[in-house]
Amino acid sequence: MITTAANLYAPDAGYVQAAMSEIDAFEQSRATGIWAGLDKATVIAEMRSRVADPFQINQGGQPFCGPASVLFELVRKQPTRYVQICQTLFERGGFQGTNRWIQASAALRSNRDQNLRMEQADWMILSTLRESENSLFPVEPNAPDLIRNLAGMTKSWEVKGWIDELLGYSKTAYHQAYLFSDVKAMQAAIAAIQSGGVAMLLVTAEGFLQGDPPPVPFPSHWVTLLGGFEMNGDRVAFDIYTWSKKLTVNTDMNSFKKYFWAGVTGTR
């Protein structure tokens, strides 16, 4: 069962105010954007909406759940850095991560297709993150579904890398959840959050979130763990961010074990 979670995870008001000032400065910048298909006024407006409410981050119709789960925590916890990354990416085509410069290719920046299947501000940064890890498949907004899904597949080590490069959490870890390690992996994720860190979970979306369990469970979707983990008899509940929503997953222990595959955590 899925329900909308209470508004318990809003960003710090002081951080939001500082980030809004950064957006104002970006708006006044005379530097020319180098993304052929993006409109600065649109990007600015979408950035403001996300800083005010990080749950507006939305992968839309693109297979960007992995980078979206990390971007959500960047906007929620470090909105000023989010704005700085967006401005540098818009004006220079890349941004400085913790350890390396992350560059959008000329091909990605020259795309003029207006049907991005998502909003421009999210496309700019999520497509750049996705492309930065791809060696075989280009990121194109309207490639055939098979190619887009192959290009959008996110591995656990990529999530670890984005947690480090975007969020600056130097201690990242992978926690296997299948084969009887489900509760242990969730406990590690909760411990990371309680220490001020972040946790992303790999789940079977069809079983956990869509009420359409596949005949054979498989890992298909990354979500951001927010908190609220409870175990009561055979019931398990926890709050997540996914698909531009705050959700509470409330399920039985058998489904929890069946559809929870792994966690990736980041801590200082």
Side-chain angles (χ1 to χ4, degrees):
M1 181 177 69
I2 305 298
T3 58
T4 300
N7 186 23
L8 302 175
Y9 307 106
D12 181 276
Y15 292 169
V16 170
Q17 184 176 6
M20 289 296 187
S21 296
E22 289 282 331
I23 295 177
D24 292 342
F26 176 23
E27 188 173 34
Q28 298 302 314
S29 170
R30 296 185 178 182
T32 302
I34 60 174
W35 292 71
L38 302 186
D39 173 68
K40 181 176 179 179
T42 300
V43 170
I44 290 286
E46 292 169 358
M47 288 170 59
R48 285 197 174 104
S49 74
R50 281 142 182 76
V51 167
D53 178 13
F55 290 91
Q56 295 298 313
I57 296 291
N58 192 349
Q59 71 182 82
Q62 299 291 357
F64 293 162
C65 60
S69 68
V70 179
L71 180 61
F72 166 80
E73 288 290 48
L74 176 68
V75 179
R76 187 166 75 107
K77 295 191 172 186
Q78 303 176 49
T80 296
R81 174 160 167 74
Y82 163 71
V83 175
Q84 293 167 346
I85 285 175
C86 285
Q87 180 172 2
T88 306
L89 188 54
F90 185 80
E91 296 176 348
R92 298 177 58 192
F95 66 92
Q96 182 60 51
T98 302
N99 306 293
R100 64 188 177 97
W101 179 261
I102 297 176
Q103 181 77 34
S105 70
L108 185 62
R109 290 185 282 106
S110 64
N111 170 69
R112 292 182 179 274
D113 192 335
Q114 295 299 303
N115 181 23
L116 298 175
R117 307 190 187 200
M118 62 191 303
E119 294 190 326
Q120 293 185 22
D122 296 338
W123 166 264
M124 182 176 67
I125 189 166
L126 293 179
S127 66
T128 298
L129 291 173
R130 182 62 270 162
E131 184 191 60
S132 72
E133 298 294 335
N134 286 17
S135 58
L136 295 177
F137 299 101
V139 175
E140 298 177 357
N142 288 291
D145 287 349
L146 176 62
I147 299 301
R148 288 192 308 110
N149 289 331
L150 287 172
M153 291 176 60
T154 294
K155 281 72 71 179
S156 60
W157 59 86
E158 294 172 344
V159 174
K160 289 175 67 177
W162 292 327
I163 289 174
D164 185 0
E165 295 293 345
L166 264 72
L167 305 179
Y169 291 104
S170 58
K171 298 178 182 177
T172 61
Y174 170 81
H175 307 278
Q176 173 183 302
Y178 59 92
L179 298 179
F180 313 109
S181 299
D182 309 79
V183 173
K184 183 178 179 180
M186 181 62 82
Q187 288 173 336
I190 292 294
I193 291 173
Q194 290 176 340
S195 71
V198 297
M200 285 71 195
L201 310 180
L202 180 60
V203 304
T204 300
E206 295 79 0
F208 259 160
L209 307 176
Q210 298 176 323
D212 185 24
V216 179
F218 59 95
S220 62
H221 189 59
W222 288 95
V223 302
T224 306
L225 179 65
L226 298 173
F229 180 67
E230 295 182 356
M231 292 181 59
N232 185 4
D234 187 48
R235 304 300 299 180
V236 178
F238 51 95
D239 295 340
I240 62 170
Y241 154 81
T242 187
W243 295 323
S244 193
K245 295 182 179 67
K246 296 171 287 185
L247 300 176
T248 295
V249 176
N250 191 329
T251 189
D252 60 86
M253 181 60 73
N254 182 61
S255 296
F256 175 67
K257 292 179 176 293
K258 185 185 298 184
Y259 301 133
F260 175 34
W261 293 86
V264 172
T265 57
T267 55
R268 302 291 185 190

